[in-house]
Amino acid sequence: MKSILLLALVAASAPALAAPVTYTLDPAHTYPSFEADHMGVSIWRGKFNKTSGQVVLDKAAKTGQVDVTVDMDSVDFGLDIMNAEAKKATLFDTAKYPVATYKGRLEGFIDGVPTQLVGDLTLHGVTRPVALKVNSFKCVPHPMLKRELCGADVVGTFNRDEFGIDAGKAYGFRMDVTLRIQVEGLAAE
C-alpha cells in the first residue's frame, strides 16, 4: 500500500516537473550577425545591436518555441557610411520596415539538445521559411542570479532577393546571406 501511494504521488508531481520554461533573451549577450557578398570581391559583415524576444522550452517534451525581434535601425557594419546606406530604401528601408522577426520551433532533439530551429523570418515586409542549424545549445545555473541560463549558437543561409532586397544583383552581387546568431536567455522568475 505504501509503494502504491508513493507511486501515485510521483505520478501526480511529474507534470509539474515537465512544465515549459520561458527564457527572456538577454540583449547584452545576443548577437545576430550576417555575412553578404560584395561583387564577389569581399564579404560584408554586419550585426544588429538591439534585439528582444523569448524562448519557451519544454525539455521533457523535447519542444520549444522562439520569438525574436530585431531593431533594423541598429544595423552596425563598424563603418558609419555603410550603416547609413543599409538603412536606405535600397537595402533594409528601416523607415518603412523598422523591425525583423523570427518565429520558430526548436526541433531534432538529441540527448535533450535541439539541433535545428525551423521557422519564419519576416524581413523587409516579407515572410518566408528559414531553417537554422543549432551548432551548440547549453543550459546552466546562472552563478549570480540563481536562475537557469541557456545559450545557443545558430547559423543558416537565405537569399535576400526573396525578401525584396536585391541591391547590387545587377552588378553581380550574390544574393545568399549567412545569418549567425549567438544568443543567451535567462529563465523568468
Side-chain angles (χ1 to χ4, degrees), residues 2-12:
K2 218 179 201 183
S3 61
I4 293 173
L5 181 59
L6 181 60
L7 187 58
L9 285 172
V10 170

Side-chain angles (χ1 to χ4, degrees), residues 97-113:
Y97 307 107
V99 298
T101 61
Y102 186 87
K103 296 174 191 281
R105 302 173 313 280
L106 294 167
E107 294 185 349
F109 283 73
I110 297 175
D111 296 327
V113 175

Side-chain angles (χ1 to χ4, degrees), residues 37-40 44 160 166-175:
D37 174 64
H38 183 249
M39 296 186 347
W44 288 350
R160 63 185 174 92
D166 64 358
K169 188 173 184 175
Y171 300 115
F173 285 48
R174 290 189 319 270
M175 294 292 103

